[in-house]
C-alpha cells in the first residue's frame, strides 16, 4: 500500500500517476476485502459439530456472522464491479483538469477493450454469486437447526435427529452444498 501511494512523477504526469495509483489501490483493497471474507474459517466451520455444540441450538453468533458476510460480499461485489467498468476507472481522472493527452494515456493504461477483462469480470461476478448461494444454504441449515432445536443433538462427530423427517430435510440442505 505504501509503494502504490508513493508518487514518482510531478506535474501533470504526477496527477495522472496519482489517479492511476488511487484507482489500482481501490481495486486491490476491495478485492482483498472480498478475499478476507471468503477465506474466513467461520464460513467453513459454520456447519461443523463443534459449531453446533458451541453456538447451538440458537446459533446467534453464526446467524450474525453469515448475515454480515453476505451483506459485505454484496457490498464489495458492487464496488469492485463498478470499479472495473470504464466509468469506474475514468471517475479517478475526470475532474483533474488534464489535457486530452493525459486522459488518453490514462485510458490506455487503465482501460482495455480486451474481452479477457470482460470475461474476468463475469467470472468474478459468477464466483461471488456462488459464494452468496453457499452462504444462503448455510443460513437455511442454521435456521432449520435453530427452529428444530429440540429435534437434534450432537453425539461425538455426528448430528443425530429425533425423527427421519428432520434427518431427510437436513440431508436435503446438505446436498445443496
Amino acid at each position: 500500500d505504501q509503494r502504490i501511494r508513493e508518487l514518482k512523477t510531478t506535474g501533470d504526469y504526477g496527477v495522472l500517476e496519482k489517479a492511476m495509483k488511487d484507482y489500482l489501490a481501490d481495486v486491490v483493497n476491495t478485492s482483498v476485502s472480498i478475499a478476507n471474507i471468503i477465506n474466513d474459517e467461520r464460513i467453513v466451520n459454520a456447519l461443523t459439530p463443534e459449531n453446533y455444540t458451541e453456538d447451538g441450538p440458537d446459533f446467534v453468533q453464526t446467524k450474525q456472522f453469515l448475515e454480515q458476510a453476505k451483506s459485505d460480499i454484496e457490498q464489495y461485489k458492487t464496488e469492485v464491479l463498478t470499479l472495473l467498468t470504464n466509468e469506474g476507472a475514468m471517475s479517478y481522472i475526470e475532474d483533474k483538469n488534464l489535457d486530452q493527452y493525459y486522459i488518453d494515456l490514462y485510458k490506455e493504461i487503465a482501460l482495455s477493450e480486451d474481452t479477457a477483462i470482460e470475461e474476468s469480470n463475469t467470472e468474478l461476478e459468477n464466483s461471488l454469486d456462488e459464494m452468496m448461494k453457499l452462504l444462503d444454504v448455510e443460513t437455511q441449515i442454521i435456521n432449520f437447526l435453530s427452529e428444530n432445536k429440540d429435534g437434534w443433538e450432537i453425539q461425538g462427530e455426528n448430528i443425530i435427529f429425533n425423527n427421519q423427517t428432520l434427518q431427510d430435510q437436513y440431508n436435503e440442505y446438505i446436498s445443496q452444498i
Side-chain angles (χ1 to χ4, degrees):
D1 193 52
Q2 180 182 358
R3 291 184 90 189
I4 202 166
R5 300 280 181 198
E6 186 179 321
L7 299 179
K8 302 290 184 183
T9 57
T10 58
D12 288 344
Y13 282 110
V15 173
L16 173 82
E17 179 186 6
K18 181 171 180 0
M20 176 58 69
K21 287 183 172 185
D22 288 347
Y23 171 66
L24 291 174
D26 286 349
V27 170
V28 167
N29 290 335
T30 304
S31 299
V32 167
S33 296
I34 291 170
N36 287 339
I37 296 167
I38 290 172
N39 293 322
D40 193 311
E41 287 187 20
R42 291 177 289 180
I43 291 175
V44 175
N45 294 331
L47 302 179
T48 62
E50 293 82 14
N51 188 56
Y52 293 174
T53 301
E54 290 172 17
D55 196 30
D58 294 319
F59 298 100
V60 173
Q61 293 176 9
T62 304
K63 288 178 183 179
Q64 216 172 23
F65 168 74
L66 292 173
E67 197 58 40
Q68 188 64 50
K70 289 190 310 186
S71 175
D72 290 347
I73 288 174
E74 194 61 46
Q75 174 192 339
Y76 292 132
K77 172 186 158 188
T78 300
E79 286 178 25
V80 77
L81 291 175
T82 299
L83 286 169
L84 295 175
T85 64
N86 289 349
E87 295 82 16
M90 291 306 295
S91 69
Y92 286 77
I93 193 87
E94 63 191 13
D95 63 347
K96 304 298 185 208
N97 297 320
L98 292 173
D99 292 339
Q100 191 61 42
Y101 168 80
Y102 297 101
I103 294 171
D104 290 343
L105 182 57
Y106 180 88
K107 283 180 184 178
E108 184 180 323
I109 296 168
L111 305 176
S112 174
E113 298 301 321
D114 189 1
T115 56
I117 295 212
E118 291 174 24
E119 290 171 8
S120 293
N121 289 354
T122 302
E123 187 177 317
L124 173 64
E125 186 171 13
N126 290 340
S127 295
L128 292 175
D129 288 345
E130 286 299 314
M131 178 55 75
M132 293 294 285
K133 287 178 189 175
L134 172 68
L135 292 172
D136 285 339
V137 172
E138 283 192 348
T139 300
Q140 290 173 349
I141 292 169
I142 294 299
N143 287 336
F144 168 77
L145 293 173
S146 182
E147 291 164 6
N148 296 286
K149 58 180 135 196
D150 295 328
W152 60 273
E153 64 181 316
I154 297 297
Q155 291 181 0
E157 291 293 312
N158 300 309
I159 184 168
I160 307 297
F161 290 89
N162 296 346
N163 66 58
Q164 191 61 43
T165 303
L166 292 177
Q167 177 73 50
D168 293 344
Q169 287 176 312
Y170 179 80
N171 289 339
E172 178 61 33
Y173 284 125
I174 293 295
S175 71
Q176 293 177 33
I177 293 178

